[in-house]
Amino acid sequence: MHRTTEQHERHPIEALYRGLDAGDTDAVSVILKLRGETCDIDCLYCYEKRKEAPGGARIEAGQVRRLAELFRGRPLAVELHGGEPLSAGRDHVADVLGELAAQPTVVRVSMQTNGVLLDEQWLDLFDTLYPDLRIGISLDGDAAGNAWRVGYDGQPVYPRVTAALRLLADRGRKAGVIAAVTPAVLGRAEAVLDHLVGFEAVNAVSFVPCFDASVERATSAKGRRVPASRRLQDAAVRGVGGTAWAISPAQYAEFVLTATIRWISAGHFARIKLEPTVSTIRRLRGLDTAFCHFSDLKCDHVFTLYPDGRLGSCDELPWPQAQLTRLDETSDQDTVIAAQRRLPLLNQGKALMERCTTCSYRSTCGGGCVATRQRQDEAGDQDAYCDYRMRMVDGIAALLAQPAHPAGTWCRTVRWRPRTPNSMRDVADFLARWNSPDTPRHPVRLQTSAHGNINTVGLPGIQEADDLDPAHPQWTEAIEPGVRPLVDAVTRSWGLVTYDSCQGHPYPGMELEPAERRVGILPRDRAEYAQAAAALCRAITAVAPALPGAVEVTVGRAELTCEITAGTTPVLDLALRPARGYGWQAYSAAVDTATEAVADALRGETPAGDGGCCCLVQHTAAGVPS
């Protein structure tokens, strides 16, 4: 059952999903369905045609002008979409582009086309009326990958689309490619990416998933004659195993990670932008992205206009449920905002994101796509969507930390667990001192709080503390007793650098959040990082069955910030945490026993050589390339 949340009430997910407010000047995206669902080809998986809305009409230049008036003072990013926008005809598209060019608030115009109609005359028109028009081409990789992109006759359109890409290259133009990930490309991510990169015109590739397992019937056909394409679609929907072009979230994550490894190893990153990889990287680095799946500007900041004047939210949401109002009946933004706040579909979607507010991945994932969440919820499998997003974040975080050792991408033990704050005054100086035991060490002030915290001021919580190394005379005195077995195993047995440690503090009777037992590892270089991560995975996997039930062990990837340079260094954090279903009292009673077991497991491993993690063994056994 859906729960609805009125969007005008203050809600914890506002950091993930920002509502439209007449008083702000945030940009909005407007998708212009120039011909509605009308298209000159008939892709079997087309979500627009599944809406079965009347086609044939065209958006007029006057409607474009009215949109600019409606969102007066707000930047507009406009996308010409369909169906197929070029099917509106040159004169009509010229009128629309001319109007867009005349609107000062329109900051960007793009066009998503199948490319079949693209020719010299179209490019001449674009050069004349809107030279900065961004062109996107729909192409699902190589010929085999485009099995679902056909004409009404059921024949592939791949040759005509690739001809359009060659024409763009001849004219010195660039284009982004949107490629649907279907079973036709699964297991071939490297070859598919290489093929797309091979087109000189391509400067961006966005892999989008076909999460269409819920599609149960073919799109209806107009007229008495059923096109060959619809017969193919009907067979694909009714086949054994469900919709033939659909993939699972787990399969998509696997594809994206494999493509990302290839993007890095082949040097493709120097020439093309890859999504959703780049947006994931930006969020891992704490940067913003315009991709709504990772941004807080979601459905309330995305609008779709149809030729008949229907104005609604994102076109990926189901229609007519996503319709907000009609353009000719809307006087100002306040009318649109009021319609958003009372629209059940948007309120239901926003309520589905409540789970994101307590997720440790929320600052990186950004909550994902609301429309996809709704489809997964209807299928009773929203967890699968969250699992794929976490899997993707974990894998890409591993690649950033150890790009020359991509095997870590497949580790499911070492996960992205950012810490805030997590900084050190001078990381390079600290490493230099650690590696130079003969350098003189100066005495430091150490005080112990009533709760066992050892730091400079002797107070509980996160406090200032000097960064010491094993050669410092006060090293042992500075390590809290409960965590010493772990620190000794990491520093003496493994020969690694620790940058932080804590024995754990429950803080009874205080407002402070309880602190877990942990030790932070600062690898000297990327190779040592990869070896340490793999060894931690092996050790933790081995010891897990012997741990007390109240304690679980996690290994997190994070970034340590240097306060002097503001640069970041990949680190690994080993933590003993209360297991699900157990409180801090049970945890505190069992954590020392768990610590000894983990320390023994660490001493039984070594972070050296080419030993992989346990997850890699399972991954390779499953037949997936490493």
Side-chain angles (χ1 to χ4, degrees):
M1 176 180 292
H2 289 295
R3 285 188 297 151
T4 62
T5 302
E6 288 299 326
Q7 297 189 42
H8 59 279
E9 296 177 356
R10 184 160 182 80
H11 195 278
I13 69 169
E14 287 180 351
L16 295 165
Y17 185 125
R18 199 188 320 169
L20 191 69
D21 190 308
D24 65 42
T25 56
D26 294 324
V28 296
S29 298
V30 181
I31 302 165
L32 299 184
K33 298 287 187 180
L34 285 189
R35 294 292 309 281
E37 54 89 18
T38 300
C39 188
D40 53 336
I41 66 174
D42 199 33
C43 302
L44 274 58
Y45 55 54
C46 180
Y47 70 86
E48 188 62 44
K49 290 181 180 178
R50 286 204 298 269
K51 298 174 186 176
E52 299 180 357
R58 298 181 292 192
I59 286 179
E60 303 290 339
Q63 291 174 297
V64 173
R65 187 163 52 252
R66 179 74 190 95
L67 266 176
E69 294 170 353
L70 178 62
F71 293 107
R72 188 184 306 279
R74 189 184 292 273
L76 302 180
V78 177
E79 181 174 9
L80 308 181
H81 209 275
E84 171 52 47
L86 297 185
S87 68
R90 285 190 180 87
D91 291 344
H92 204 86
V93 172
D95 289 342
V96 170
L97 286 176
E99 188 61 49
L100 288 168
Q103 297 299 330
T105 56
V106 174
V107 295
R108 184 175 69 250
V109 178
S110 59
M111 172 182 286
Q112 188 64 34
T113 172
N114 59 42
V116 170
L117 296 177
L118 201 63
D119 58 20
E120 296 277 5
Q121 290 72 34
W122 274 114
L123 294 180
D124 288 342
L125 185 150
F126 300 156
D127 289 343
T128 301
L129 294 176
Y130 213 103
D132 294 331
L133 177 70
R134 301 184 182 184
I135 297 176
I137 300 289
S138 299
L139 185 70
D140 301 344
D142 55 15
N146 281 269
W148 308 108
R149 299 188 63 81
V150 300
Y152 287 92
D153 59 1
Q155 296 303 305
V157 297
Y158 171 82
R160 288 185 280 172
V161 182
T162 55
L165 284 173
R166 288 191 290 271
L167 172 62
L168 288 168
D170 291 342
R171 294 286 293 258
R173 274 189 169 268
K174 298 297 183 181
V177 167
I178 291 183
V181 179
T182 69
V185 299
L186 292 180
R188 302 192 302 113
E190 301 99 326
V192 168
L193 180 61
D194 288 348
H195 183 79
L196 292 173
V197 173
F199 291 101
E200 183 183 344
V202 174
N203 64 357
V205 175
S206 180
F207 286 120
V208 298
C210 279
F211 293 155
D212 288 342
S214 60
V215 177
E216 297 179 344
R217 67 181 184 86
T219 306
S220 64
K222 299 173 184 176
R224 299 174 64 180
R225 293 187 59 185
V226 178
S229 54
R230 297 299 168 88
R231 293 196 295 271
L232 290 173
Q233 187 192 54
D234 186 66
V237 170
R238 297 178 184 274
V240 177
T243 309
W245 64 78
I247 63 168
S248 70
Q251 289 172 321
Y252 178 61
E254 202 82 31
F255 184 93
V256 169
L257 291 175
T258 305
T260 302
I261 292 172
R262 182 63 176 177
W263 181 65
I264 294 173
S265 64
H268 295 327
F269 63 86
R271 220 200 87 197
I272 70 159
K273 177 183 179 182
L274 181 66
E275 289 290 9
T277 300
V278 169
S279 288
T280 305
I281 291 172
R282 289 188 63 83
R283 293 310 301 256
L284 284 166
R285 295 297 193 214
L287 303 172
D288 291 331
T289 172
F291 193 174
C292 61
H293 293 194
F294 294 84
S295 166
D296 59 353
L297 301 182
K298 296 190 183 297
C299 301
D300 282 25
H301 288 77
V302 180
F303 296 91
T304 305
L305 178 66
Y306 282 90
D308 61 1
R310 288 173 295 150
L311 180 66
S313 191
C314 174
D315 66 337
E316 292 194 30
L317 291 165
W319 284 69
Q321 300 97 308
Q323 182 174 339
L324 295 166
T325 182
R326 295 185 59 84
L327 186 62
D328 56 2
E329 297 174 355
T330 307
S331 57
D332 51 34
Q333 286 189 67
D334 289 337
T335 305
V336 175
I337 294 169
Q340 286 180 329
R341 290 177 175 174
R342 64 174 176 263
L343 190 70
L345 187 68
L346 289 183
N347 286 315
Q348 290 163 0
K350 194 170 183 180
L352 285 176
M353 292 182 63
E354 287 182 3
R355 60 161 56 195
C356 301
T357 61
T358 57
C359 177
S360 61
Y361 288 78
R362 61 188 178 277
S363 63
T364 309
C365 166
C369 173
V370 175
T372 306
R373 281 196 177 280
Q374 289 182 321
R375 290 195 294 271
Q376 292 294 123
D377 185 61
E378 290 170 1
D381 198 14
Q382 199 179 161
D383 286 346
Y385 183 72
C386 294
D387 289 345
Y388 119 68
R389 301 223 15 120
M390 291 187 284
R391 182 74 199 91
M392 187 172 66
V393 168
D394 289 340
I396 293 176
L399 277 171
L400 289 180
Q402 51 184 87
H405 303 273
T409 308
W410 310 116
C411 184
R412 294 175 179 263
T413 300
V414 186
R415 308 187 68 173
W416 175 246
R417 297 183 186 276
R419 291 174 55 192
T420 304
N422 199 33
S423 66
M424 177 181 287
R425 176 167 175 76
D426 191 336
V427 175
D429 179 68
F430 174 70
L431 284 172
R433 278 189 285 112
W434 191 289
N435 293 326
S436 304
D438 296 333
T439 301
R441 267 71 174 169
H442 302 290
V444 298
R445 183 173 61 175
L446 298 175
Q447 298 193 58
T448 304
S449 78
H451 295 270
N453 311 80
I454 299 177
N455 51 48
T456 302
V457 293
L459 294 175
I462 300 174
Q463 305 291 342
E464 181 181 355
D466 290 287
D467 301 312
L468 306 186
D469 60 88
H472 195 286
Q474 294 171 275
W475 165 256
T476 301
E477 182 186 353
I479 306 300
E480 295 171 358
V483 76
R484 282 176 189 165
L486 299 179
V487 173
D488 286 346
V490 170
T491 58
R492 294 182 181 178
S493 300
W494 283 18
L496 297 184
V497 178
T498 57
Y499 75 95
D500 176 51
S501 66
C502 177
Q503 72 175 9
H505 309 282
Y507 299 127
M510 298 187 68
E511 294 184 358
L512 288 173
E513 288 288 329
E516 62 201 13
R517 182 164 296 181
R518 66 175 185 270
V519 57
I521 301 172
L522 174 58
R524 296 175 177 86
D525 54 40
R526 305 280 184 171
E528 187 173 87
Y529 180 102
Q531 293 169 348
L536 284 168
C537 174
R538 296 193 299 269
I540 298 316
T541 301
V543 76
L547 292 177
V551 180
E552 68 173 5
V553 184
T554 66
V555 183
R557 303 184 193 274
E559 299 280 345
L560 177 65
T561 300
C562 177
E563 295 169 2
I564 291 179
T565 67
T568 59
T569 303
V571 292
L572 296 162
D573 293 317
L574 173 66
L576 278 64
R577 312 157 70 100
R580 181 175 298 182
Y582 289 87
W584 283 94
Q585 185 174 355
Y587 166 81
S588 297
V591 69
D592 287 338
T593 300
T595 298
E596 291 298 334
V598 173
D600 285 343
L602 293 177
R603 287 188 285 268
E605 281 290 349
T606 176
D610 297 324
C613 73
C614 301
C615 312
L616 178 62
V617 174
Q618 298 170 3
H619 191 82
T620 305
V624 183
S626 60

